[in-house]
């Protein structure tokens, strides 16, 4: 099957933890009727991991199992994939890769409120400072489909969701 046989687009929403991926993806799914796939939740629910990483305090995701699990529905199209990593998904899956970004003091407060502290907090703040996810996205997908969007405020979320909703409505399958 060719990469563009899907009838609805697939969007990847990525960025450092806390930038607003889940909030944005969930609102976008409501406004477009696309399916929101939170990879972290999927990994937990379907045991697509190789145990728990004590150092990083998270599951050790099994990337092959995740890709196998998603292959059919990604081919079908109409998915919003939400994850803080982006280099292991097949490039052909996505029509848009949105990289959310947040100003550091704002992100620090969001992650502290989530209970992050010590190395987990500082690693994620550094990840945002060095634009790790933006570089990863640019290295993994064609540059013209990678869109950085600022996500500091509630107004930013509304604007981003509105803009992406318009994009989905105007998307045309390849003929
Ligand atoms: P992520 O999925 O990237 O980890 P999230 O959607 O769970 O992030 O958001 C983390 C917290 O920050 C949550 O309490 C909602 C809040 N938040 C996210 N983006 C925001 C924004 N642009 N303005 C205000 N609050 C935001």
């Amino acid at each position: 099957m060719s990469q563009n046989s899907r009838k609805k687009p697939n969007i990847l929403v990525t960025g450092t933890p806390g930038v607003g991926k889940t909030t944005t993806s969930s609102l976008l799914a409501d406004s477009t009727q696309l399916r929101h796939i939170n990879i972290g939740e999927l990994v937990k629910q379907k045991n697509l991991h190789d145990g728990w990483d004590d150092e990083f305090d998270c599951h050790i995701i099994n990337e092959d199992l995740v890709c196998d699990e998603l292959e059919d529905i990604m081919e079908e199209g109409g998915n919003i994939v939400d994850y803080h990593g982006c280099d292991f998904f097949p490039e052909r899956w996505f029509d848009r890769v949105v990289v959310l970004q947040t100003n550091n003091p704002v992100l620090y407060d969001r992650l502290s409120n989530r209970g992050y502290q010590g190395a987990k907090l500082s690693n994620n703040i550094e990840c945002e400072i060095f634009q790790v996810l933006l570089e990863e996205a640019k290295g993994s997908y064609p540059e013209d489909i990678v869109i950085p969007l600022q996500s500091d405020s509630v107004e930013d979320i509304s604007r981003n969701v509105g803009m992406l909703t318009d994009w989905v409505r105007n998307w045309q399958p390849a003929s």
Side-chain angles (χ1 to χ4, degrees), residues 13-25 38 82-84 100-102 106-107 110-111 113-114 116 150-158 160:
V13 178
T14 190
T16 308
V19 292
K21 298 180 295 297
T22 299
T23 311
T24 303
S25 301
N38 179 325
D82 155 7
Y83 193 55
H84 58 261
L100 296 180
Q101 300 190 294
T102 301
V106 175
L107 185 62
R110 284 191 205 152
L111 292 177
N113 285 339
R114 201 184 250 186
Y116 284 24
Q150 202 61 29
S151 177
D152 293 335
S153 62
V154 173
E155 291 73 29
D156 288 340
I157 294 194
S158 313
N160 294 339

